[in-house]
Amino acid sequence: MPKTLIVRSSFDLATVYLSTYSQLLIDYAQQQGHQVKDLYNDVKGSSARLLDFEAAMQSFNPDIVIIAGHMNATTATGQDFEVLLKVGVNDDIMSGKICDLKGCSAGLELAPSMVSKTAQQVFSYQADFTFVYNPNFETRPLDDPWAKAFFDCMLATGYAILLGKTPKEVYDLTIQRYDYWWNYWIGQNDPMTDDILTWLNWDRSSFIALTPTGLYGPPPKLTVPLGLSPYVLPLGIAAAFFLLSRDDK
């Protein structure tokens, strides 16, 4: 029976959305016969914090690790920005594992460092994973018609990993979901259509699958779009700090 560890923080709007959608991966993993351990603050006796993460890596010894939270090029964080993984500090803990880093920019340095320390496969983004949300659905992320496309694409990666697909298949299936939603939104008459298409393309262009033998999906040079909508949320650490400080004012 495969073992899957899912670590999901939830403390601001972006991570609330991410953790809510990540619950679908837990349900799917269990349906596929995986033994699942969920590190989430609402689960009794566990949290998306470093001590619980390190303990689970040792005692549970997962085959697949999915981390959903704020990240940057070198770091993956858990609850309240607590550092879980950092280049040159403890990224060797992923040796022998398949890892899905659901956050921003970790594909730049953290993912390659993990693979160099014998992680089997790492899936991530080389820029800020960014999504559009509808403020009328902040308490019901799964019903948000604007955010659904972004998280459905992100979930496609996890679903394919849980099915045991090859890295190339995981990459291709993820890109296929981006293409599906691009084609869907091109035909919509919605005030946010242009923003949604812009950021779907942004996320699609930065998604990678990395293994010791190859890289799938190296992105072109990305330029941040101008005129950002107030309903655009990134999962990068610096951007999240900025948004939190802005909200406090």
Side-chain angles (χ1 to χ4, degrees):
M1 177 184 294
K3 293 181 178 181
T4 297
L5 174 66
I6 298 182
V7 187
R8 50 194 184 116
S9 58
S10 182
F11 61 93
D12 61 6
L13 189 57
T15 53
V16 165
Y17 266 72
L18 184 55
S19 63
T20 301
Y21 276 91
S22 295
Q23 176 65 53
L24 301 181
L25 288 178
I26 295 170
D27 299 339
Y28 189 78
Q30 292 170 337
Q31 292 168 9
Q32 298 303 314
H34 289 237
Q35 184 179 351
V36 179
K37 187 171 184 62
D38 177 24
L39 295 185
Y40 180 60
N41 281 18
D42 285 351
V43 177
K44 185 176 181 180
S46 74
S47 68
R49 295 190 180 276
L50 180 61
L51 287 179
D52 285 341
F53 171 64
E54 290 183 332
M57 290 296 294
Q58 183 172 5
S59 62
F60 185 61
N61 190 25
D63 305 294
I64 298 168
V65 180
I66 299 172
I67 301 177
H70 287 297
M71 303 182 187
N72 63 22
T74 63
T75 307
T77 72
Q79 190 67 22
D80 302 322
F81 298 110
E82 186 166 327
V83 174
L84 302 178
L85 286 173
K86 190 171 180 64
V87 169
V89 177
N90 66 341
D91 52 335
D92 58 342
I93 199 173
M94 290 298 173
S95 177
K97 312 297 183 187
I98 297 171
C99 187
D100 184 11
L101 298 173
K102 295 190 177 302
C104 294
S105 303
L108 290 172
E109 297 182 48
L110 182 57
S113 180
M114 288 163 55
V115 169
S116 74
K117 296 169 183 174
T118 66
Q120 287 187 40
Q121 306 165 22
V122 183
F123 304 90
S124 188
Y125 291 83
Q126 292 192 324
D128 280 2
F129 176 85
T130 305
F131 66 97
V132 178
Y133 78 100
N134 186 320
N136 295 320
F137 294 88
E138 290 184 9
T139 60
R140 297 182 288 133
L142 296 180
D143 296 326
D144 188 332
W146 296 345
K148 182 177 181 179
F150 298 89
F151 288 100
D152 184 66
C153 296
M154 182 179 267
L155 289 172
T157 306
Y159 292 149
I161 294 169
L162 294 169
L163 285 173
K165 300 295 186 180
T166 67
K168 179 64 163 55
E169 290 172 331
V170 174
Y171 177 80
D172 287 343
L173 287 167
T174 302
I175 295 301
Q176 286 172 21
R177 291 311 289 172
Y178 276 109
D179 292 344
Y180 167 84
W181 283 109
W182 173 272
N183 291 328
Y184 171 86
W185 275 101
I186 276 184
Q188 300 305 303
N189 182 17
D190 187 288
M192 293 299 290
T193 293
D194 288 347
D195 291 88
I196 290 169
L197 290 172
T198 294
W199 292 106
L200 279 174
N201 183 61
W202 171 272
D203 292 340
R204 182 191 188 281
S205 298
S206 70
F207 176 69
I208 63 165
L210 185 63
T211 75
T213 58
L215 166 70
Y216 300 101
K221 184 177 180 180
L222 295 173
T223 302
V224 178
L226 300 176
L228 302 187
S229 162
Y231 305 127
V232 171
L233 282 179
L235 279 162
I237 295 173
F241 269 123
F242 169 76
L243 290 171
L244 286 173
S245 64
R246 184 183 67 181
D247 290 344
D248 289 341
K249 292 180 180 180

